[in-house]
Amino acid sequence: AQSVAQPEDQVNVAEGNPLTVKCTYSVSGNPYLFWYVQYPNRGLQFLLKYITGDNLVKGSYGFEAEFNKSQTSFHLKKPSALVSDSALYFCAVPSYGNNRLAFGKGNQVVVIP
Amino acid sequence: EPEVTQTPSHQVTQMGQEVILRCVPISNHLYFYWYRQILGQKVEFLVSFYNNEISEKSEIFDDQFSVERPDGSNFTLKIRSTKLEDSAMYFCASSGLASENNEQFFGPGTRLTVL
């Protein structure tokens, strides 16, 4: 089954520093990969996706993610974190042959002023 | 920007009672989904719906659950006889296409508390 793993529980980063949220995947065939963010008391918001092509994908709010086939990773990055980036981040992959999303456990990001 | 809406934001019910969670998907979307997130756990897929029928459901979606699109705008999830373990945040989502590479748009969720 298609799955993703987010190895860390919480990521703490100082404001202005680079932010990385890790995700590894296990899929058959070519992967489609997504990142979503959940702000407090809000629903999941789509950030970006990888389908094919350029391994560096740019998304909303200055986020980007790098698809690395050899490491089966799709880490989310932001060059300079803001306090407002503090939220829960989910990596997700659709199941093969349908579009049910399988989510990672989520990473709590805390940006320290 | 169009968005998915859900009502109520919080529902408290007694065990054994029926609840209906409501969602208004994005207006031109054709595919609809329910997910749930038990506190501290992963977001889990429940069911997908297209063309007035269930297209896929997970093992969680047993006979206690049902979905309906009663009119052109609402999409509902009914839990017939709630159990304590049904307490969770329930998210509705919609997408314009069914392809695997198409993102789903999520509502803010309904927090269901079963006492």
Side-chain angles (χ1 to χ4, degrees):
Chain A
Q2 318 284 73
S3 66
V4 289
Q6 295 179 249
E8 299 163 320
D9 289 323
Q10 181 163 312
V11 175
N12 296 325
V13 62
E15 186 177 23
N17 281 3
L19 168 63
T20 298
V21 189
K22 296 180 180 177
C23 173
T24 58
Y25 64 87
S26 174
V27 304
S28 54
N30 294 321
Y32 302 127
L33 296 159
F34 297 81
W35 275 103
Y36 284 83
V37 59
Q38 185 180 22
Y39 296 104
N41 302 312
R42 301 284 298 277
L44 297 158
Q45 294 182 37
F46 169 75
L47 274 179
L48 51 78
K49 66 181 177 183
Y50 171 81
I51 302 173
T52 186
D54 196 345
N55 289 341
L56 187 64
V57 179
K58 293 190 183 296
S60 307
Y61 313 122
F63 283 94
E64 57 189 28
E66 185 171 9
F67 173 72
N68 187 317
K69 190 172 184 178
S70 62
Q71 296 184 6
T72 61
S73 67
F74 188 56
H75 299 334
L76 181 70
K77 299 179 181 183
K78 187 170 183 179
S80 178
L82 302 173
V83 173
S84 56
D85 293 328
S86 298
L88 198 53
Y89 291 81
F90 291 95
C91 185
V93 62
S95 293
Y96 183 73
N98 59 61
N99 48 0
R100 74 152 83 174
L101 284 174
F103 287 86
K105 67 178 182 179
N107 281 131
Q108 183 67 50
V109 169
V110 177
V111 181
I112 303 161
Chain B
E1 185 176 333
E3 58 183 17
V4 177
T5 60
Q6 291 184 242
T7 54
S9 56
H10 192 185
Q11 175 88 47
V12 181
T13 189
Q14 294 291 325
M15 187 171 57
Q17 295 296 304
E18 174 184 287
V19 294
I20 298 176
L21 310 183
R22 292 183 165 79
C23 169
V24 179
I26 293 173
S27 62
N28 61 346
H29 283 182
L30 300 175
Y31 300 87
F32 315 114
Y33 315 85
W34 283 101
Y35 292 80
R36 78 172 185 189
Q37 183 182 26
I38 295 172
L39 187 64
Q41 297 186 26
K42 287 184 182 183
V43 177
E44 303 170 290
F45 170 82
L46 292 177
V47 66
S48 58
F49 190 88
Y50 168 70
N51 199 25
N52 283 321
E53 61 183 26
I54 291 174
S55 48
E56 193 192 1
K57 60 184 180 180
S58 72
E59 56 281 0
I60 302 169
F61 195 89
D62 60 22
D63 292 343
Q64 295 296 317
F65 291 89
S66 62
V67 289
E68 192 179 30
R69 188 155 162 81
D71 53 41
S73 60
N74 289 284
F75 179 51
T76 62
L77 174 69
K78 181 191 291 186
I79 308 175
R80 188 157 53 90
S81 178
T82 51
K83 304 187 285 285
L84 295 176
E85 54 264 38
D86 293 328
S87 294
M89 181 73 87
Y90 287 81
F91 292 107
C92 173
S94 69
S95 65
L97 298 169
S99 58
E100 298 157 280
N101 60 10
N102 213 58
E103 61 268 28
Q104 297 172 23
F105 293 85
F106 286 77
T110 293
R111 180 169 298 284
L112 176 65
T113 302
V114 182
L115 302 176

